[in-house]
């Protein structure tokens, strides 16, 4: 089984220096793309590879790239979204810390394909080790001519800057990230216009997730067909899956796209820890719907997870065990979303604290039958299309499925007037 | 007042952005690194460097969790209270910290040594529960291991 993204990553060790990275075949894709291909060739190859964005939404990468206006002479930007703050998600950390040159190489090729001459990595503030390693790698790449003017003696120039945030989940939202980069409060923007036509400072801007970008050099080197063949399903490539909760071996692994949940949970995660039973899981981070035991054989790819009513999201699974209160878990999730709401639109700003308070009441044994209806109402009123951005609808995904799957647990809180898990 | 070096670094940072203000968060963090927090005076100085009004900059500064407009202790402890850490027992960790340091979430110890703040997922959920002290991550914690980690910052 091939693991292109992580084969040169040794957990707990220093990442490859530029020399070592080049020895392993690094920056070959930059040479190939910039010297032998046109930007359109690169876009075509990435489109054919079926690479879909790994940030959560799964938009086809090649398509996103081709949405930038063709005959626009204005400067363009390429931005890497490295603001990984979704609770339960930690897949990009490994890529950022473990092999920063791989990311830089992906950025050079992606910026070339999308005609951008300035690129930013928007990194969350708390990834301090990643920041140090990226800074060093960027300096090395400049010194050796993989960044800056006439990269590998082609006529392509690229300036790459590392921008670090200061801790707000909403910065990971594509348009809020742009607002933040411009030095404003990180508030999302209405779409359209999409960033591809009007992004950073109103200029065409392509934004991709870290994991998406690091796939690009491998596609260039080995071809679209090879990339599609890595996967067990119709989406191309491998996927970095993560697992957390009371399992024997929490962690993250690069596996073929479409690996089943059961394989991740049992073979890689070692199953549940002694004394804990399996109850449910969130397949792709805090803003996805719960899945149950009966879903364990579902393949972790975009379509299969959607077919059973959830989303692949970031591909990082959070396991709820039978010894933890599901209502408490929902309360924790909504507490997070309420705190991280940017406050721009009323349904989200007011609705999320309301949901949080109701869930808190359940935990205190003060829940009432009518509260369940109020919660259900919120999942409607804060659902897709009702708010400015996807934060609120995302917050409602675990709640919606929780009300369906854990109804009995809610009812026990009401009749017993306490949390039965405490 | 900003030092000569601080001024220089801020204008260098500002060059990366089409409009100077793009550098404001990084500039505030840089100023905060040595002073611990952003006073009104610092805020005014940074705003001037970046062609922003102080109010505009305050609007940005107060938006973020990690820019402090009030004094904080020598060491800031960020305790992750997001879902994976919650499942793995971060509440017990918080109770333990509050007791050991004699403070509540959001407060600073009387000797000005530690400030305890809640934080969203630190991206290390496979090592939950997790805390971060001054940018250093400590994972797989139990109350006992936590006391050990803390000792090296005293
Ligand atoms: S949905 Fe929430 S986070 Fe998104 S714009 Fe509205 S208030 Fe802000
Ligand atoms: S939930 Fe605590 S580090 Fe992710």
């Amino acid at each position: 089984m091939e693991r292109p993204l992580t084969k040169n990553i040794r957990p707990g060790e220093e990442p490859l220096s530029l020399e070592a990275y080049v020895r392993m075949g690094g920056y070959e894709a930059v040479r190939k793309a910039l010297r032998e291909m046109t930007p359109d060739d690169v876009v075509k190859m990435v489109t054919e590879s079926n690479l879909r964005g790994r940030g959560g939404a799964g938009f086809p990468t090649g398509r996103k790239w081709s949405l930038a206006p063709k005959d626009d002479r204005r400067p363009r930007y390429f931005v890497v979204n490295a603001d990984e703050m979704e609770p339960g998600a930690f897949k990009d950390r490994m890529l950022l810390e473990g092999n920063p040159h791989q990311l830089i190489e992906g950025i050079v090729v992606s910026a070339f394909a999308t005609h951008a001459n300035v690129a930013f990595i928007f990194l969350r503030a708390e990834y301090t080790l990643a920041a140090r390693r990226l800074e060093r790698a960027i300096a090395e790449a400049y010194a050796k001519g993989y960044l800056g003017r006439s990269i590998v003696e082609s006529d392509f120039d690229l300036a790459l800057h590392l921008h670090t945030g200061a801790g707000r989940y909403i910065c990971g939202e594509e348009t809020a990230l742009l607002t933040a980069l411009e030095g404003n409060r990180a508030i999302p923007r209405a779409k359209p216009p999409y960033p591809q036509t009007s992004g950073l400072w109103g200029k065409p801007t392509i934004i991709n997730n870290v994991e998406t970008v690091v796939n690009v050099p491998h596609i260039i080197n080995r071809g679209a067909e090879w990339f599609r063949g890595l996967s067990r399903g119709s989406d191309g490539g491998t996927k970095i899956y993560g697992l957390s909760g009371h399992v024997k071996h929490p962690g993250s692994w690069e596996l073929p796209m479409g690996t089943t949940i059961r394989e991740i949970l049992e073979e890689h995660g070692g199953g549940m820890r002694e004394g804990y039973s399996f109850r449910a899981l969130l397949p792709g981070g805090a803003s996805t719907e719960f899945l149950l035991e009966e879903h364990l054989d579902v393949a972790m790819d975009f379509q299969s997870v959607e077919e059973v009513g959830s989303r692949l999201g970031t591909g990082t699974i959070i396991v709820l065990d039978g010894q933890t209160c599901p209502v408490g878990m929902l309360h924790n999730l909504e507490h997070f979303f309420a705190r991280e709401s940017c406050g721009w639109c009323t349904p989200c700003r007011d609705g999320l604290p309301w949901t949080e308070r109701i869930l808190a009441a359940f935990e205190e044994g003060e829940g009432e039958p009518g509260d369940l209806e109020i919660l259900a109402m919120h999942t409607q009123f804060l659902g897709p299309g009702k708010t400015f951005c996807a934060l609120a609808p995302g917050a409602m995904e675990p709640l919606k499925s929780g009300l369906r799957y854990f109804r009995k647990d809610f009812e026990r809180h009401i009749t017993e007037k306490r949390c039965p898990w405490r | 007042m900003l030092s000569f070096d601080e001024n220089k670094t801020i204008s260098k940072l500002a060059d990366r952005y089409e409009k100077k203000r793009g550098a404001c968060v990084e500039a505030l963090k840089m100023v905060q690194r040595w002073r611990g927090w952003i006073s009104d005076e610092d805020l005014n100085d940074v705003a001037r460097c970046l062609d922003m009004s102080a109010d505009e900059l305050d609007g940005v500064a107060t938006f973020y969790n990690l820019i402090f407009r009030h004094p904080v202790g020598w060491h800031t402890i960020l305790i992750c209270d997001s879902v994976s850490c919650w499942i793995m027992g971060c509440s017990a960790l918080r109770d333990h910290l509050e007791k050991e340091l004699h403070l509540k979430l959001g407060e600073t110890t009387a000797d000005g040594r530690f400030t305890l703040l809640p934080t969203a997922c630190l991206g290390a959920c496979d090592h939950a529960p997790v805390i971060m002290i001054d940018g250093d991550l400590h994972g797989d914690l139990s109350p006992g291991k936590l006391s050990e980690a803390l000792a090296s910052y005293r």
Side-chain angles (χ1 to χ4, degrees):
Chain A
M1 186 164 44
E2 278 195 86
R3 296 196 168 90
L5 307 185
T6 54
K7 72 168 185 286
N8 290 324
I9 295 178
R10 306 272 170 276
E13 281 177 32
E14 284 292 309
L16 297 180
S17 65
L18 189 136
E19 285 71 31
Y21 182 69
V22 168
R23 248 195 330 270
M24 308 300 279
Y27 288 107
E28 274 308 312
V30 166
R31 275 176 218 285
K32 184 167 169 198
L34 272 52
R35 287 182 178 166
E36 296 164 25
M37 298 169 80
T38 65
D40 285 348
D41 294 339
V42 179
V43 175
K44 193 161 158 258
M45 202 172 207
V46 170
T47 309
E48 282 168 2
S49 74
N50 283 351
L51 170 65
R52 291 176 67 173
R54 303 293 199 240
F59 195 79
T61 305
R63 229 185 46 243
K64 192 181 219 180
W65 288 5
S66 48
L67 286 177
K70 279 248 170 313
D71 37 9
D72 194 319
R73 295 260 146 256
R74 291 179 299 164
R76 294 171 181 215
Y77 293 102
F78 185 82
V79 178
V80 178
N81 188 343
D83 195 71
E84 183 171 55
M85 272 182 88
E86 172 97 345
F90 50 97
K91 65 184 178 70
D92 293 341
R93 174 195 284 272
M94 170 162 68
L95 298 168
L96 291 158
E97 291 178 355
N99 198 352
H101 277 295
Q102 179 175 242
L103 177 63
I104 296 172
E105 176 165 21
I107 293 172
V108 177
V109 177
S110 308
F112 171 74
T114 55
H115 303 273
N117 295 110
V118 181
F120 288 96
I121 301 172
F122 193 113
L123 181 72
R124 65 175 298 187
E126 297 87 347
Y127 279 7
T128 47
L129 182 61
R132 283 200 295 276
R133 291 180 171 178
L134 276 167
E135 250 161 29
R136 193 173 60 211
I138 291 172
E140 286 174 343
Y142 266 110
K144 285 282 189 297
Y146 293 109
L147 285 172
R149 298 220 168 267
S150 312
I151 295 173
V152 297
E153 285 119 49
S154 71
D155 53 10
F156 179 66
D157 306 337
L158 181 69
L160 172 63
H161 306 298
L162 179 65
H163 175 102
T164 59
R168 256 334 259 276
Y169 173 65
I170 195 62
C171 292
E173 199 277 341
E174 201 164 66
T175 60
L177 184 145
L178 296 174
T179 324
L181 258 179
E182 291 172 358
N184 297 304
R185 280 175 91 94
I187 288 161
R189 304 175 182 176
K191 293 190 274 195
Y194 290 90
Q196 292 91 313
T197 49
S198 177
L200 201 50
W201 292 291
K203 311 283 162 45
T205 304
I206 299 288
I207 308 163
N208 284 140
N209 173 260
V210 173
E211 191 186 342
T212 315
V213 177
V214 297
N215 273 298
V216 171
H218 302 288
I219 295 172
I220 298 303
N221 285 333
R222 317 272 304 264
E225 202 173 318
W226 164 83
F227 187 76
R228 287 198 308 269
L230 290 174
S231 154
R232 291 192 195 157
S234 54
D235 308 320
T238 58
K239 176 80 192 79
I240 299 189
Y241 297 109
L243 189 61
S244 61
H246 283 293
V247 294
K248 283 210 184 92
H249 311 293
S252 47
W253 308 275
E254 183 183 7
L255 300 169
M257 179 64 98
T259 302
T260 66
I261 299 177
R262 190 184 299 281
E263 187 180 329
I264 299 170
L265 184 67
E266 286 170 7
E267 276 178 41
H268 302 278
M272 299 303 291
R273 247 177 231 190
E274 212 65 52
Y276 291 91
S277 58
F278 174 87
R279 176 83 196 266
L281 58 85
L282 296 174
S287 59
T288 57
E289 298 204 29
F290 280 99
L291 295 180
L292 306 174
E293 181 120 39
E294 69 205 59
H295 301 124
L296 288 185
D297 291 309
V298 167
M300 282 284 276
D301 58 44
F302 292 99
Q303 202 187 333
S304 310
V305 182
E306 223 166 283
E307 275 165 12
V308 291
S310 190
R311 287 189 307 116
L312 178 66
T314 56
T316 35
I317 299 170
I318 308 162
V319 176
L320 168 68
D321 51 84
Q323 285 61 41
T324 300
C325 175
V327 177
M329 177 167 172
L330 286 167
H331 175 223
N332 175 276
L333 290 165
E334 299 310 326
H335 169 73
F336 165 82
F337 287 112
R339 193 173 68 192
E340 292 298 326
S341 164
C342 83
W344 182 245
C345 57
T346 314
C348 175
R349 181 185 59 235
D350 288 356
L352 286 176
W354 193 355
T355 7
E356 187 201 339
R357 275 198 301 276
I358 294 176
L359 290 164
F362 270 101
E363 281 205 275
E364 295 309 316
E366 287 158 8
E368 288 169 22
D371 289 343
L372 287 169
E373 271 73 78
I374 300 179
L375 286 176
M377 212 171 77
H378 275 85
T379 64
Q380 295 293 320
F381 292 165
L382 302 184
K386 303 290 199 321
T387 57
F388 215 68
C389 84
L391 183 138
M396 290 302 112
E397 289 184 29
L399 182 60
K400 209 162 73 197
S401 52
L403 286 172
R404 189 162 64 233
Y405 295 141
F406 309 135
R407 186 118 200 148
K408 286 219 168 56
D409 302 281
F410 276 101
E411 283 162 359
R412 272 187 75 188
H413 279 77
I414 300 173
T415 48
E416 295 177 26
K417 293 197 185 320
R418 66 184 183 99
C419 171
W421 271 265
R422 266 190 266 168
Chain B
M1 241 209 355
L2 296 183
S3 71
F4 178 73
D5 277 350
E6 283 170 324
N7 265 310
K8 220 170 72 189
T9 314
I10 293 179
S11 19
K12 241 175 81 191
L13 279 173
D15 284 344
R16 300 174 170 183
Y17 302 86
E18 207 172 299
K19 296 214 175 72
K20 284 184 183 180
R21 60 185 300 159
C24 68
V25 169
E26 300 242 38
L28 289 171
K29 286 202 298 183
M30 195 252 320
V31 171
Q32 182 171 282
R33 198 163 305 146
W34 302 113
R35 299 160 202 238
W37 64 293
I38 302 289
S39 65
D40 288 348
E41 198 200 334
D42 294 335
L43 188 90
N44 284 326
D45 291 345
V46 174
R48 210 170 307 120
C49 279
L50 297 173
D51 299 338
M52 293 172 83
S53 78
D55 286 343
E56 275 178 310
L57 185 59
D58 200 23
V60 180
T62 52
F63 190 79
Y64 290 103
N65 303 333
L66 297 176
I67 293 179
F68 307 128
R69 290 286 279 119
H70 289 286
V72 289
W74 271 108
H75 304 292
T76 43
I77 307 176
L78 303 175
I79 174 161
C80 173
D81 61 5
S82 290
V83 64
S84 303
C85 287
W86 180 79
I87 292 174
M88 302 304 286
C90 67
S91 315
L93 224 51
R94 183 203 52 218
D95 293 348
H96 180 84
L97 268 172
E98 289 184 340
K99 222 158 88 208
E100 188 159 326
L101 299 174
H102 306 289
L103 47 56
K104 288 258 167 256
L105 220 49
E107 292 177 353
T108 301
T109 50
D111 61 1
R113 201 153 267 281
F114 295 105
T115 298
L116 179 62
L117 298 168
T119 188
C121 176
L122 287 166
C125 325
D126 49 342
H127 294 288
V130 169
I131 66 168
M132 184 171 243
I133 310 180
D134 303 341
D136 298 324
L137 204 63
H138 301 268
D140 302 306
L141 288 173
S142 57
K145 269 181 81 180
L146 177 61
S147 300
E148 250 172 67
L150 221 53
S152 55
Y153 295 88
R154 283 192 195 269

